[in-house]
Every structure is written in structure tokens, then in C-alpha cells.
Amino acid sequence: MPPTFRSELDSLKTYVPPKSWRMAAEGRADDYAKLTSNELAFGPLPEAEAALTGALPRANRYPDSHVSRLRQVIAEANAGVETTNVMVGNGSSEVLLNALQLLPAGGEVVFPWPSFSLYPMLCAVLGMTPRPIPLEEDNGLPAEGILSAVTQETRAVILCNPNNPSGTYLKLDEVKSLAEELPEDVLLILDEAYVEFVDDPLYKDSHALALENENVVVARTFSKAHGLAGLRVGYGIAPERLADYAERVRFPVSVNLAAQVAATASMLAREKVGARAEFVIRDRGRLQRAFEAANLDFIPSQGNFVMVRFGADEFEKSGILVREGAALGYPGWSRVTVGNKEENDRVIGAIS
């Protein structure tokens, strides 16, 4: 008889990547604007490229398993943070996994929906029950709905803020209120993969929530604003005890040498990262104004993407690959990543 597998894994499906990934693998995407995956249109910063070149001769050696230098620059970039508050991982996905697997077995995880597709998958892998809470009618994040869904079975709440794929967000005072109202034994994971693209001047220093509360983790990534998606590196800011336990369960050497040196160099050049994020914010506004002028429904976004009611197949006719809305819970819509100026010009041309 073959081995018996856990029944909760039966519903899992293999990840289906965006069409652009498949086309690129087949050599068919070179002439298209690739606006599917919320990647930064620009390459890594020159400082990160130089760090990568310098690291290549050491590729035969294992890197620093503790990721000490990167932890240090992350702590220096976030006021009040010590290196003992910093989690690291193979993308922020591993940070989420390591935080969740610290919790008692079973129980429920509450999160808004539609949101990042990883959340229900993590629940299945860890033997937890997902509790998706529908977004509000205007696609806003349902803070009250989240709190109402919390029971004695709740182990964690995950809040993608800004939310992918809607682009909507909770203001910082709303996030603080949510954190204050949650029971102390419920972990709040604030997934801030897109935080650099928030143009709300009051949304600053959100990481302080993890320093002020024993049940809050703030997860961030180098895949978006830093332009290092291909290297898979993320980090979290957490209470010292939680960060310590997360390091105990982290897979050894999960952050490779290239990821460590590139992310460190990029964080040290964060003023340049901020300038790139400012470009994305400005051109996000330009795209949204164009959607409005074309009488297209869209969701005002705080991410590096905009959800618009315009078919992916129509964009493809104009040489633009976007994420099909049906895969994200928005049939008939498309999620359009904000690209460089030329790519965004093509988007505007396609809808005109």
C-alpha cells in the first residue's frame, strides 16, 4: 500500500503562474510589456548589482547562516529596531510561514478575501483552517468583519496592507485599533509587501506596532520596491521572543549569498529605492486618471498595480501582458502592474 497523505492537502492545487511566465519560458514574451506580477520595471540598483558581482567568487562557500549584516542594516533603517527584532527569510513568504508555524496546531487563521493566494495554502500545509472574510462592497479591508470573525479557535489574523489584488488599505490608526482590539493570544501578521507605494503621509513607522505589542509581526519584502524578486529575500520585524523562535524553525541557510549581499546594498541605498517608489506612485496616478477618462471601472490603489475592469485578452492584443482578474477573484477585470513610462504609455494607448 502506498503512503497515506494528509487529507487537508487534497484540495491544494499546484501554483499556476501568470501567462507571462509561461510565455517567457517558451521564448514568446520578448515583444510584450510584462505587467503581470507586480514586479519593479527597473532592474536592481547599481549598488546591488555591484554587490552581486563582488559575491560571485565566493559562490562556492556557504553564506552567513544568521544573515547578520542584512539584519543590521534592516534594524538601522527602522527606528527603535534591534537586530534581535529582525526575522529573515526566502522571500516574505517564508517569514509568514515561520511566524504561523510557531502557533499551536490546528485552529483558524482569519484574513480578508480576495487577498494573497499564499494564505489559504499556508493554512492547508500547517493544518490550520482558513477563515476568509469578504472585502467590503467598495473593496475596502473589513476591519470590523475581521474582529467579528475572531473566536477562541483563532490563532492568527493576516492583513495584507495594502491588499493584493484590490490595492485598498487600512490607515495606520485603523491598523492600530485592530491590533489593540485583538485578543493578546491572537497573532496579527501585517503583510506590508507594498508599503513603499503608500502615498498617505500618515502611514509611517508602522513597524513600531511590532515593538509595542507582543502579538504583532510586520512582514516586508525586497521583491517589489527594491527590484529583487528573482533573488527571493524578505524580512520581518517582531517582538524579540517571537523573532527568536522564528529563527529556531527557519530552514538553515534559507537566504542565499546573492540575496544577502544584494538586499544589504539595496537597503543601504534606500533613498534611491524611495525615488523609484515615488515614480511608481506618480505613474499609478497617471494610469488611474486614464482609466477614469476612458470610463473604466477601477479600484483606487495604494500598491504598485491597479485593478481595472478591462479584459486581459484586450490588453494582450496591444502587446501587454497583465494578470487575469478571474484568477484573483475579479472575473472580467485585469490587475495591471505599474511599469516604466513606455510600458504605462502602452497601457494608456490600449484603452484609448
Side-chain angles (χ1 to χ4, degrees):
M1 248 184 105
T4 300
F5 299 151
R6 292 161 46 203
S7 60
E8 61 264 30
L9 302 180
D10 292 343
S11 62
L12 283 181
K13 306 293 184 185
T14 302
Y15 176 71
V16 179
K19 186 174 183 178
S20 64
W21 294 16
R22 303 192 296 273
M23 291 178 66
E26 297 165 1
R28 298 188 294 117
D30 292 346
D31 295 329
Y32 288 85
K34 306 176 191 67
L35 303 178
T36 57
S37 301
N38 300 344
E39 300 154 326
L40 193 71
F42 317 105
L45 288 173
E47 291 86 346
E49 291 189 11
L52 286 167
T53 300
L56 282 177
R58 307 199 306 276
N60 61 313
R61 303 295 184 186
Y62 289 108
D64 171 18
S65 179
H66 189 63
V67 200
S68 303
R69 179 60 177 147
L70 180 55
R71 290 179 194 270
Q72 180 182 351
V73 299
I74 289 170
E76 292 170 353
N78 293 276
V81 172
E82 302 292 338
T83 56
T84 50
N85 297 119
V86 178
M87 301 166 61
V88 293
N90 187 265
S92 57
S93 300
E94 188 190 11
V95 173
L96 298 176
L97 170 65
N98 289 342
L100 285 173
Q101 66 178 326
L102 301 181
L103 304 175
E108 299 178 346
V109 178
V110 176
F111 48 82
W113 195 257
S115 193
F116 186 25
S117 61
L118 180 72
Y119 303 156
M121 188 195 82
L122 287 176
C123 290
V125 170
L126 295 174
M128 306 172 100
T129 302
R131 282 289 310 274
I133 307 302
L135 298 182
E136 295 177 346
E137 189 173 345
D138 62 355
N139 292 287
L141 293 174
E144 290 301 322
I146 289 171
L147 288 170
S148 297
V150 172
T151 69
Q152 291 184 343
E153 297 300 312
T154 305
R155 300 287 185 266
V157 168
I158 308 177
L159 181 69
C160 186
N161 200 49
N163 185 51
N164 172 30
S166 66
T168 49
Y169 84 122
L170 290 182
K171 295 179 180 180
L172 186 55
D173 59 348
E174 295 173 310
V175 178
K176 289 180 178 178
S177 294
L178 177 63
E180 290 169 358
E181 294 185 49
L182 280 177
E184 292 181 354
D185 62 346
V186 173
L187 180 64
L188 173 61
I189 301 177
L190 186 58
D191 184 351
E192 291 192 332
Y194 301 95
V195 71
E196 291 91 347
F197 307 109
V198 175
D199 61 11
D200 178 356
L202 298 181
Y203 201 99
K204 302 293 181 185
D205 296 327
S206 53
H207 69 274
L209 285 169
L211 306 179
E212 299 164 354
N213 299 275
E214 290 296 319
N215 63 331
V216 176
V217 174
V218 177
R220 295 176 180 165
T221 185
F222 287 91
S223 294
K224 308 304 178 184
H226 288 265
L228 298 176
L231 296 183
R232 309 302 303 126
V233 55
Y235 68 98
I237 296 173
E240 185 173 337
R241 176 173 174 267
L242 195 153
D244 170 44
Y245 271 76
E247 184 65 10
R248 300 182 194 189
V249 301
R250 182 172 68 90
F251 197 81
V253 202
S254 66
V255 184
N256 67 59
L257 174 64
Q260 289 190 36
V261 300
T264 298
S266 194
M267 183 63 84
L268 288 171
R270 54 190 175 274
E271 295 81 6
K272 293 184 179 181
V273 174
R276 288 178 163 192
E278 285 296 327
F279 167 83
V280 171
I281 291 170
R282 288 194 302 272
D283 253 41
R284 178 182 70 201
R286 187 163 72 96
L287 287 177
Q288 293 182 153
R289 290 190 295 273
F291 295 153
E292 185 173 22
N295 294 315
L296 295 174
D297 293 331
F298 69 93
I299 306 173
S301 176
Q302 290 289 314
N304 67 337
F305 56 87
V306 182
M307 185 67 75
V308 60
R309 195 192 294 270
F310 194 81
D313 54 342
E314 294 299 316
F315 277 120
E316 188 173 345
K317 291 176 183 177
S318 298
I320 303 162
L321 299 175
V322 298
R323 189 62 160 135
E324 305 90 340
L328 306 172
Y330 289 87
W333 293 60
S334 296
R335 189 190 64 193
V336 182
T337 302
V338 180
N340 59 34
K341 182 181 183 304
E342 293 74 20
E343 291 168 334
N344 298 333
D345 287 343
R346 291 175 70 174
V347 171
I348 293 172
I351 64 170
S352 300

